Structure formats: C-alpha cells, structure tokens
Amino acid sequence: MSPSSCCGIRPPPFSISLDRIEKSGTDRADDAPWAEAQHEIDVLLAGPVHLARLLTPHLLGHGRPSVYVNVTSGGAFLPQPFAPLYSAAKAALHSYTVNLRHALRATPCRVVELVPPAVATQLAGPGANHGADPDEFCDTVFPLLDGSRPVVGYGPTAQPDFTDRVAAEHLAFEAAASRFDVPLHRPDGAVADQASPSSSPSWSGSPVSPVARPGRR
C-alpha cells in the first residue's frame, strides 16, 4: 500500500519525515491491562515502522534528497525503571533505525536518529516536569536534522561518554553487517544486493551533534 492509495489522494512531494509519536504517562508498575501495553507498543514502535514502510517508496520515487527522523530516547540506551515498556520500545526503534539507515545508505534518503534526554513534557506523569526546557531543546536540535548527522543528541545524549558509545556501536554494526547478504535499496528505489563496504557512504565526523544552548527565541 502506498500513501496515495491508503488515503485516496496523491500527496505532494515532501522531503522530511519526522516520526515523533509518543504516549503520555508511564508504565512503571508494568501491570496495566494488556490492551494498554499493546497500544503503547503500537504507538511507539509499530507506528514509526509502518510509516517508514509506507513512505519509503514515495521518498525514493521522487528521486530528491530526503530525510527520515526517528525520535528515540536516552531510555533506548539506558532503560528507565519508571518506564520499562517505553524503554524497550524505544530500544527496538533505535535498532530498526540503524538497519533502516543501512538499507537506504546508497540512496538520497538519509536516516537520522534524534535521541532526546529527559525533556519537560510530563512523560513521567502529571507534575513531573524534570528535564530540558522543550523550547530550548527544539531550538537547538531542529536545525541539525538536515541529514548530515546520523544521530543528534542534546545535553546528556550529546556528551562524550554517550557519543563514544554510539560511535563504538556503529563500528561494531558495520563489521557485523558486512557478513550478511541482505538486500539494500538503490537510488532508483529498486532493491539491490548487499553493497560492498567500499561503495557505502562513510560515517563522517562525530555521529552525535555537539550540543549548544542558545537562548530562548
């Protein structure tokens, strides 16, 4: 199914897809009815994956540079005890994003992972407003989501201990991925055999953007 067939209209060309799908509240007790747990999985993981499957043919079809931005979390790398299912879903989305970037590496479509730290969005429940100021966070990271950086962090997720971990993970992934003969997308949208390491785009520069803290606009 394509985006045009699922809604009955032909969408205009676009170049950026920002998968920012969240659920308010927490699952700290991890004893909610299964329907609620399934809904959280659907929102946090199945939704972005489904959207990527629908949009990829469209983004590759128009042939212009485009950018996916999947929003994960610091909890994808360090599980949060107050949100075990949220952390697990974000960890799964991180893994999917790494593989999506690999599959699209020979195309004009870049895949960016935005890794927020705690942001004061009441995710941890009513009145729990700890974390970065949302306006300062957005003012800092949005200009960086142009596809030139595979991973964009802020505050704790842009510090050397975190960026070094991400860079090491990338090197390990690249070494392992070359062992598997999996299909990759070509620039024309077709699926090709596994690209050789020499023909693949390199991971240039710091994988995670350095953080700046501008004043609120």
Side-chain angles (χ1 to χ4, degrees):
M1 179 181 293
S2 68
S4 57
S5 63
C6 72
C7 57
I9 60 174
R10 181 178 180 82
F14 55 92
S15 297
I16 296 180
S17 168
L18 179 62
D19 290 346
R20 176 67 167 90
I21 307 172
E22 293 296 331
K23 171 183 178 294
S24 298
T26 68
D27 55 357
R28 62 165 57 89
D30 209 22
D31 58 359
W34 175 248
E36 294 184 16
Q38 181 66 65
H39 176 70
E40 184 150 359
I41 295 170
D42 289 343
V43 168
L44 297 175
L45 178 59
V49 172
H50 191 191
L51 184 60
R53 290 170 64 93
L54 293 176
L55 288 181
T56 296
H58 178 74
L59 294 177
L60 297 182
H62 65 52
R64 297 188 305 277
S66 54
V67 181
Y68 272 115
V69 181
N70 277 341
V71 182
T72 61
S73 168
F77 298 83
L78 183 64
Q80 305 299 308
F82 66 85
L85 185 55
Y86 175 91
S87 299
K90 289 296 189 178
L93 183 59
H94 161 68
S95 178
Y96 177 79
T97 302
V98 170
N99 280 296
L100 181 64
R101 182 185 302 119
H102 179 71
L104 295 173
R105 63 193 304 171
T107 76
C109 184
R110 302 275 73 86
V111 178
V112 177
E113 181 177 0
L114 176 58
V115 189
V119 180
T121 59
Q122 297 187 347
L123 177 64
N129 292 324
H130 71 288
D133 177 83
D135 290 335
E136 292 183 3
F137 169 74
C138 291
D139 287 347
T140 299
V141 302
F142 269 66
L144 306 177
L145 304 179
D146 59 359
S148 63
R149 303 165 180 82
V151 181
V152 173
Y154 180 88
T157 58
Q159 298 303 313
D161 57 343
F162 184 83
T163 62
D164 289 348
R165 174 180 174 181
V166 173
E169 179 191 87
H170 169 74
L171 293 176
F173 173 82
E174 286 293 299
S178 63
R179 297 183 296 135
F180 301 100
D181 185 18
V182 296
L184 303 179
H185 289 278
R186 295 196 319 227
D188 59 5
V191 176
D193 293 334
Q194 169 86 354
S196 65
S198 59
S199 64
S200 301
S202 63
W203 184 286
S204 58
S206 173
V208 182
S209 65
V211 65
R213 294 187 179 277
R216 187 178 302 189
R217 292 174 183 170

